[in-house]
Amino acid sequence: MSGADILIKSLLAENVEVIFGYPGGKVIHIYDLLYESPIKHYLARHEQGAIHAADGYARSTGRVGVCIATSGPGATNLVTGLANAYMDSVPVVAFTGQVATSQIGKDSFQEADIKGITMPVTKHNYLVTDVNDLAKTIKDAFYIAKTGRPGPVLIDLPVDVVKAEAEYSYPAESDLPGYKPTYKGHSRQVKLAAEKINKAKKPVIFAGGGVIISEAAEELKELALKGNIPVITSLMGLGSFPGDDQLSLGMPGMHGTRYANYAFCETDLIIAIGTRFDDRVTGRLDKFASQAEVIHIDIDPAEISKNVEILIPIVGDAKNIVRELLPLIKDKDRKEWLSQIDDWKKSHPLKYNNNADEILPQSVIESIYKITEGEALIVTEVGQHQMWAAQFYKYSKPRTFFSSGGLGTMGYGLPAAYGVQIGRPDKTVVNISGDGSFQMNLQELATISNYKIPVKTVILNNGTLGMVRQWQELFFEKRYSATMLDNPDFVKLAEAFGIFALRIEEKEDLLPALNKAFEYEGPVLLDIKVAQEENVFPMVPAGAGIKDMIGG
């Protein structure tokens, strides 16, 4: 059968049900077969939309997201999405068309060296030059994408390979001698970690996205409750531990809670699980957790001691390792430590001015939380609204918060939201956006409208590029250089795409409009005019230690 046939058969063998993509000349033979394939294809309106949608689908389901683009600009338009998935450890397989093998390297029409371009932002990538290698390549790509520390894999397909014929035989399993992820923790290291935890007077657990990826949320909760250990969750770890539990300290770092940052400064032991200690968490490294020893559990050995010196490293799968730890952990009341944390929580709660005349973005997030009873799946763009969504919505379950963490990609939210919704059709999906981020990929409203995907998009419209404007206000004497926006009419724009939309400008109209939006069965866009100069606090200024917060 043809390479295109082999591709479709292989995807079906991997139980792929959904593909996001955009057609073009070098993938037209594949699209011809998709026309009557049982695989559901969703037409994005930009290739970046397709890969962000595949990313959202993967995060919401735990399955591999799949996208397809043509050669040249179609392929290069995937680069930001690949980098985004790579930074956040999301399993995606991307297929790109390529010029014929005889034309590669000749500056042919719509040719790009996508293998070379994406090498730094993919877990692995392939250029298939022989149709006989195609089925095995696809098997290996899916295996690499979803095992160990997940990540994106790209397969570049020259058009002559797609048209060539070969016998189809799909491998039962992958055999990659140089790739053997470690899943079981070293027993001696686990025992050493348990001894440290049992002796610690002021321990904290620092839970990251790896807890969610490994489906270790229940084990994490059991560890925290058994040892009476407070839990700090990274941005990517939100939902790995119930945000409304008394042991939850929320998110740390630049816009984290004061009590999470204070806990890092006072703790004697950090139990880090599936997190990478990025700079937004640590602030100045020489001032980060100076009194603490660190246990680090991670499936990727490259993360161990990369940013923070680790006393006890345990390489392996978080779920397996925490399960091994649990029988060795002693019940501890840790009353003094928990009392100190309670004091911090009472003295430094997340708060905002409820009496303001304007609509405040924090109140919008809290209102969404109340109306949805904390059961919605929240997707965000990147900026101030992203931080407010992290602070003021309490995530109690894994795979309920979706955001661009490592790369910080404006334009991620809208396409990711419909990918999340397609993966979880039984759930209410809310895309919380800023007016700046929304305009990065607003063409994806066409996809949402076309397939009647019931995503609720909430634009916190402050007329600015809010996060940059906040820095300009605080550190550049309010010199608002290129951050004030002259926006289009978002309501008319949504209506042009056939989407129900409302504008909210007065506080008393907020709750009725939100209720109406969530009762509506189809897609909705809400343009909410919020206070222009409201800032995200607390805030750790650049170059400061995490104890040196301003505001809040």
Side-chain angles (χ1 to χ4, degrees), residues 320-333:
N320 292 342
I321 292 168
V322 177
R323 276 182 174 174
E324 290 178 56
L325 265 177
L326 281 168
L328 307 175
I329 301 301
K330 296 176 181 176
D331 296 330
K332 296 271 188 175
D333 59 36

Side-chain angles (χ1 to χ4, degrees), residues 196 200-206 232 260-272 277 285-296 308-312 337 546:
K196 275 289 178 189
K201 292 182 178 179
K202 298 187 286 185
V204 294
I205 294 169
F206 181 31
I232 297 170
N261 284 353
Y262 288 159
F264 266 149
C265 293
E266 296 296 324
T267 182
D268 59 359
L269 181 68
I270 297 171
I271 307 143
F277 290 103
L285 280 170
D286 62 344
K287 290 189 174 184
F288 177 74
S290 58
Q291 301 180 51
E293 296 177 315
V294 184
I295 297 165
H296 194 176
V308 172
E309 186 177 342
I310 306 302
L311 177 69
I312 303 174
W337 179 224
I546 60 169

Side-chain angles (χ1 to χ4, degrees), residues 1 4-19 34 37-39 63-64 66 93 95 134-143 146 168-174:
M1 58 178 64
D5 275 314
I6 290 171
L7 170 59
I8 300 299
K9 290 278 189 185
S10 300
L11 293 177
L12 290 171
E14 289 291 338
N15 299 312
V16 172
E17 298 173 354
V18 172
I19 294 180
L34 282 172
S37 167
I39 299 171
R63 303 177 66 183
V64 177
V66 181
V93 173
F95 294 92
L134 182 55
K136 181 182 184 305
T137 300
I138 294 170
K139 181 69 180 180
D140 291 345
F142 274 81
Y143 177 69
K146 66 189 176 185
Y168 173 69
S169 177
Y170 200 64
E173 57 185 38
S174 280

